[in-house]
Amino acid sequence: MFYTENWKDYELLDTSDGERLERWGKYILVRPDPQIIWQGAAKHPLWKKADAVYRRSAAGGGAWKQNRLPEQWQIGYGELKFVIRPMGFKHTGLFPEQAANWDWFSEKIKKAGRPIKVLNLFAYTGGATVAAAKAGASVVHVDAAKGMVAQAKENARLSGLADAPIRYIVDDCKKFVEREIKRGHFYDAVIMDPPSYGRGPSGEIWKIEDSVDELVTLAARLLSKEPLFFLINSYTTGLSPLSMSYILRLRVGERYGGTTSAEELGLRVTQTGAYLPCGASARWEM
């Protein structure tokens, strides 16, 4: 399992009955999680003192209840700073389990001994972007949602990276990759954090099971002569870490060599000491 113990501003306090009890800075949230299938295990005293609880609706979607949260606040991970904004469909604008990947590729960038150019696809609010930039890389940040890209710029500014070599692109990721191939542009590393399902700015439909192999194949054509790493994340339960690893071996490893690893991402639960599965990552590296 890929995990980190370095969070101070985030904590997964307890899990039970399909819900997480979390601390985001000084605020306590309860959010649904389909991986939490055990019942009657809630023991942490803060379950009854949450600042907000997200409840799903039978009609679809959901809403924050008993909400005592500000519109936004900030948390930090080392030198990185992030705006937290509770959104529809339970999200906060950050996936804390991804810090395990930030630690991994930050070390690789720092130790590379040369300028590293990173392509971050489906880059969301820029957790990986600011981590890579803080480690010294130049980054091209691509996401189809204009609002998420704006929040990524804000996170970079808060992290002291307002003038860092980060290029922000609002675009469909596949179309952007195809244009970069035609332009003859190359990258030393690729990060992909695709959704299970989504639509591009012009209504393009994305389904990860149908599209990820094609996109990895295309993105691999953008790798430089000395590639450093290729990272794929997935929150789709039907797409296992080994499946993603197999794709990386086929599309990247057979051309460049290197090594591939794949694991579930996890967060340690304070109350029990066990780890909650939170998606999966596959890593290719030289």
Side-chain angles (χ1 to χ4, degrees):
M1 176 173 281
F2 298 142
Y3 65 93
T4 180
E5 303 285 2
N6 295 329
W7 273 109
K8 293 181 173 60
D9 284 356
Y10 171 84
E11 187 177 4
L12 181 53
L13 299 168
D14 203 0
T15 62
S16 186
D17 301 274
E19 293 181 322
R20 301 182 179 196
L21 177 70
E22 303 170 294
R23 178 179 62 82
W24 295 80
K26 65 178 182 179
Y27 297 104
I28 305 301
L29 277 61
V30 173
R31 297 191 297 156
D33 190 318
Q35 296 274 23
I36 301 169
I37 59 175
W38 41 95
Q39 307 294 314
K43 294 182 180 179
H44 201 286
L46 288 178
W47 280 105
K48 298 179 180 180
K49 298 181 180 181
D51 295 294
V53 177
Y54 187 90
R55 297 296 187 205
R56 295 194 184 279
S57 168
W64 293 95
K65 306 295 184 181
Q66 59 196 64
N67 192 342
R68 298 188 295 271
L69 300 173
E71 183 177 340
Q72 66 180 54
W73 66 96
Q74 297 176 23
I75 67 171
Y77 182 75
E79 296 181 302
L80 308 180
K81 305 296 179 185
F82 303 101
V83 173
I84 301 303
R85 289 192 181 104
M87 308 174 190
F89 197 63
K90 78 177 183 179
H91 294 311
T92 62
L94 194 68
F95 293 94
E97 61 273 12
Q98 287 295 333
N101 283 324
W102 305 341
D103 292 344
W104 169 72
F105 65 65
S106 292
E107 279 301 302
K108 294 193 68 65
I109 291 168
K110 290 174 183 177
K111 293 179 179 179
R114 58 187 171 94
I116 298 298
K117 185 177 181 181
V118 176
L119 175 61
N120 188 10
L121 300 172
F122 307 96
Y124 194 47
T125 59
T129 293
V130 297
K134 183 64 79 171
S138 61
V139 185
V140 174
H141 173 111
V142 187
D143 196 278
K146 186 176 181 180
M148 297 300 99
V149 174
Q151 190 164 335
K153 291 181 181 179
E154 190 172 0
N155 288 334
R157 178 185 62 79
L158 291 171
S159 299
L161 297 166
D163 298 321
I166 303 173
R167 182 183 173 204
Y168 300 94
I169 307 291
V170 179
D171 202 353
D172 174 80
C173 289
K174 180 184 175 185
K175 290 183 177 180
F176 178 80
V177 168
E178 290 172 336
R179 284 195 293 272
E180 288 290 87
I181 291 171
K182 291 179 181 179
R183 294 173 185 136
H185 291 173
F186 295 97
Y187 298 84
D188 303 295
V190 175
I191 300 168
M192 289 175 49
D193 202 352
S196 300
Y197 178 87
R199 289 183 180 273
S202 300
E204 304 90 345
I205 295 176
W206 165 273
K207 291 183 179 180
I208 190 169
E209 299 94 333
D210 299 336
S211 306
V212 67
D213 179 52
E214 180 184 12
L215 186 56
V216 172
T217 301
L218 289 169
R221 294 173 61 183
L222 295 177
L223 288 173
S224 66
K225 293 181 180 179
E226 295 182 85
L228 188 63
F229 67 86
F230 199 123
L231 169 66
I232 308 175
N233 298 303
S234 171
Y235 288 89
T236 303
T237 55
L239 190 61
S240 72
L242 287 177
S243 295
M244 295 188 298
S245 175
Y246 203 101
I247 291 172
L248 284 182
R249 286 176 183 271
L250 284 175
R251 308 309 180 197
V252 183
E254 287 190 0
R255 179 177 178 182
Y256 292 100
T259 60
T260 305
S261 59
E263 297 283 352
E264 287 188 302
L265 287 164
L267 288 170
R268 184 178 180 274
V269 181
T270 301
Q271 183 65 36
T272 64
Y275 288 84
L276 177 70
C278 303
S281 291
R283 303 167 174 176
W284 173 89
E285 59 187 307
M286 285 297 289

